[in-house]
């Protein structure tokens, strides 16, 4: 017999479909899988880009008989997955906010929100920030060969590094935006965390959840207009802050509002495959001309999220709930913080010590040696900081060691085979190196 709705304290019948805590936990597992795939694409673009000495990556193609298919765009567009993270943040945080606003006071909700974000973000981030400072002190130079100034550390410590490009007294003495490479997106996330409670309170006081969903979606349309005004000027603060990507967060919040305010049946699961196909078309350069591709990426990310959580038992949801991809989703924060660190301070020195000149060999070294190192470091970060701070319990260390060891040994073994093939079958040492499975650098 199905228990009455009142037995579930977090059920949200007043906001649409009644959902239990158990069902919500199942939704998180599918979204962890989506997060896992997103971080894999982010890692891929960085590892691919650093397979050439210029940092622009090698052109890649697949040979099928006499036909040559260019697949460079698959790696070069991996940075688009960052938009998926922005939309996921907006969706998850606002959905959780909506489900709790009827059960606890506003003051308690804000305190809980701040504490959960601080526990989730700050310990691991400060660890990697200190690690970067240590590496820079040992090497003597930052990754671009420039001296690291005190302003860099201070602005990154308080998540204000984007202002370095607009303050005339700071800009001449700051060598780059971020100490930990790639964390401009984390700065945007932190600014969103600061603004979201205020926005959520205003929406709840002024209108219903359904009207909030439509207002958030309409407000997100300002994103393409702002980026059009920015143009291609990278020195403007908006490009490297939440103001340059705010539409992605708003679309995530709108997705949560639609989900909580309207009834979605299983037939809406077609949103995921449609969004996935649209995502691939955008990455291949086939986006619609009316709106910029970043806004379209945010829309399709919201579609995929909504299509996943309304379709339990679907084929695409089951594929995202596999343990290996869910675990990668759990480790995504550590992978995000460590991937360029590994490229610059581990893989590059190893390739120089081994005197590797072939672009194909460097590509193999990046992927099959870099990924295991990243997994080990990210897993250690997850165990030491995230797991302990979020769940406040001790993880299963034996299981963690077995997981990391299996993945690492498999990829290192593949790296050796891959590198031997590239070495024994090489032509030009920099390009035209045939690799296995008919993938080669042009």
């Amino acid at each position: 017999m199905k228990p009455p709705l009142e037995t579930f304290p977090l059920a949200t019948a007043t906001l649409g479909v009644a959902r239990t805590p158990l069902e919500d936990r199942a939704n998180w597992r599918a979204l962890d899988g989506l997060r896992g795939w997103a971080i894999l694409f982010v890692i891929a673009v960085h590892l691919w880009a650093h397979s050439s000495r210029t940092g622009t990556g090698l052109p890649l193609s697949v040979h099928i008989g006499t036909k040559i298919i260019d697949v460079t765009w698959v790696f070069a567009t991996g940075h688009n997955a960052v938009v998926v993270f922005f939309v996921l943040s907006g969706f998850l945080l606002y959905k959780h906010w909506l489900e709790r606003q009827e059960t606890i006071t506003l003051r308690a909700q804000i305190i809980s929100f701040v504490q959960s974000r601080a526990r989730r973000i700050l310990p691991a981030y400060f660890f990697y920030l200190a690690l970067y400072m240590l590496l820079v002190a040992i090497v003597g130079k930052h990754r671009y060969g420039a001296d690291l100034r005190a302003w860099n550390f201070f602005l990154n410590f308080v998540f204000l590094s984007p202002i370095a490009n607009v303050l005339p007294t700071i800009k001449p003495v700051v060598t780059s935006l971020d100490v930990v490479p790639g964390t401009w997106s984390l700065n945007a996330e932190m600014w969103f965390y600061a603004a979201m409670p205020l926005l959520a309170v205003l929406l709840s006081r002024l209108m219903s959840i359904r009207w909030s969903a439509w207002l958030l979606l309409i407000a997100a349309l300002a994103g393409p207009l702002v980026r059009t005004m920015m143009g291609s000027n990278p020195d403007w603060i908006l490009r490297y802050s939440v103001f340059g990507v705010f539409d992605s967060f708003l679309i995530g919040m709108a997705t949560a509002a639609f989900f909580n305010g309207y009834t979605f049946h299983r037939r809406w699961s077609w949103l995921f495959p449609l969004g996935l196909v649209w995502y691939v078309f955008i990455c291949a350069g086939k986006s619609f001309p009316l709106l910029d591709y970043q806004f379209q990426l945010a829309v399709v990310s919201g579609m995929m999220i909504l299509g996943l959580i309304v379709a339990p038992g679907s084929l695409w949801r089951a594929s995202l709930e596999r343990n290996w991809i869910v675990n990668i989703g759990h480790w995504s924060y550590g992978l995000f913080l460590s991937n360029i660190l590994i490229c610059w301070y581990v893989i590059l020195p190893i390739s120089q010590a081994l005197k590797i000149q072939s672009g194909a060999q460097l590509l193999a070294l990046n992927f099959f040696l870099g990924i295991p190192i990243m997994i080990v470091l990210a897993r250690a970060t997850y165990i030491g900081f995230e797991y302990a701070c979020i769940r406040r319990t001790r993880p299963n260390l034996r299981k963690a060691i077995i997981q990391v060891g299996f993945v690492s040994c498999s990829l290192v073994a593949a790296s050796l085979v891959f590198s031997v093939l590239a070495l024994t079958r090489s032509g030009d040492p920099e390009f035209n190196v045939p690799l296995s499975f008919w993938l080669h650098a042009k």
Side-chain angles (χ1 to χ4, degrees), residues 42-167:
V42 172
I43 291 174
V45 68
H46 290 151
L47 293 177
W48 166 80
H50 291 91
S51 63
S52 66
R53 301 301 180 186
T54 60
T56 56
L58 296 174
L60 301 172
S61 63
V62 173
H63 283 204
I64 303 177
T66 58
K67 189 175 182 180
I68 301 177
I69 302 175
D70 183 23
V71 295
T72 305
W73 64 272
V74 176
F75 294 90
T77 58
H79 63 277
N80 290 336
V82 175
V83 177
V84 178
F85 284 104
F86 291 153
V87 178
L88 271 172
S89 291
F91 173 81
L92 292 172
L93 295 178
Y94 192 47
K95 179 178 183 294
H96 187 62
W97 182 281
L98 292 174
E99 292 173 345
R100 299 191 69 191
Q101 67 181 2
E102 301 295 335
T103 60
I104 61 176
T105 64
L106 176 61
R107 182 175 180 271
Q109 189 168 13
I110 293 176
I111 292 175
S112 175
F113 177 83
V114 173
Q115 288 179 341
S116 65
R117 291 297 87 200
R119 289 198 304 265
R120 178 70 173 84
I121 299 297
L122 297 183
Y125 174 73
F126 289 148
F127 166 75
Y128 278 99
L129 188 60
L131 182 59
Y132 264 96
M133 297 296 291
L134 177 63
L135 289 171
V136 170
I138 294 173
V139 175
K141 296 287 183 180
H142 196 27
R143 66 189 188 282
Y144 295 128
D147 294 324
L148 188 64
R149 309 296 180 89
W151 270 110
N152 291 80
F153 179 78
F154 172 75
L155 293 175
N156 278 266
F157 188 84
V158 295
F159 300 99
L160 292 176
S161 60
I163 70 171
N165 275 344
V166 294
L167 295 183

Side-chain angles (χ1 to χ4, degrees), residues 25 43 96 113 115 117 131 183 204 228 297 336 343 375 384:
R25 286 196 292 272
I43 291 174
H96 187 62
F113 177 83
Q115 288 179 341
R117 291 297 87 200
L131 182 59
T183 52
S204 63
T228 300
L297 285 171
F336 157 72
C343 289
I375 290 177

Side-chain angles (χ1 to χ4, degrees), residues 5 69 101 126 163 185 221 302 332 424:
L5 179 62
I69 302 175
Q101 67 181 2
F126 289 148
I163 70 171
S185 57
L221 291 171
S332 60
T424 57

Side-chain angles (χ1 to χ4, degrees), residues 234-299:
D235 288 339
W236 199 5
I237 181 176
L238 299 182
R239 182 164 294 278
Y240 293 103
S241 70
V242 70
F243 300 105
V245 295
F246 71 90
D247 52 329
S248 299
F249 293 111
L250 293 183
I251 288 176
M253 292 179 66
T255 304
F258 278 117
F259 181 61
N260 283 287
Y262 291 87
T263 300
F264 288 92
H265 299 287
R266 184 182 176 88
R267 61 176 178 269
W268 286 93
S269 63
W270 57 267
L271 286 172
F272 180 82
L274 177 62
L276 183 60
V277 172
W278 191 357
Y279 182 92
V280 173
F281 270 83
I282 294 172
C283 292
K286 307 295 184 182
S287 59
F288 292 113
L290 295 179
L291 297 171
D292 67 358
Y293 80 96
Q294 186 168 318
F295 181 84
Q296 295 182 49
L297 285 171
V299 171

Side-chain angles (χ1 to χ4, degrees), residues 43-51 132 338-351 362 366-367 370 373-374:
I43 291 174
V45 68
H46 290 151
L47 293 177
W48 166 80
H50 291 91
S51 63
Y132 264 96
S338 67
N339 69 94
I340 301 183
L341 177 149
I342 301 301
C343 289
W344 277 95
Y345 293 108
V346 179
I347 302 300
L348 184 59
I350 290 176
S351 66
L362 187 56
N366 280 351
F367 273 92
I373 297 174
M374 290 178 193

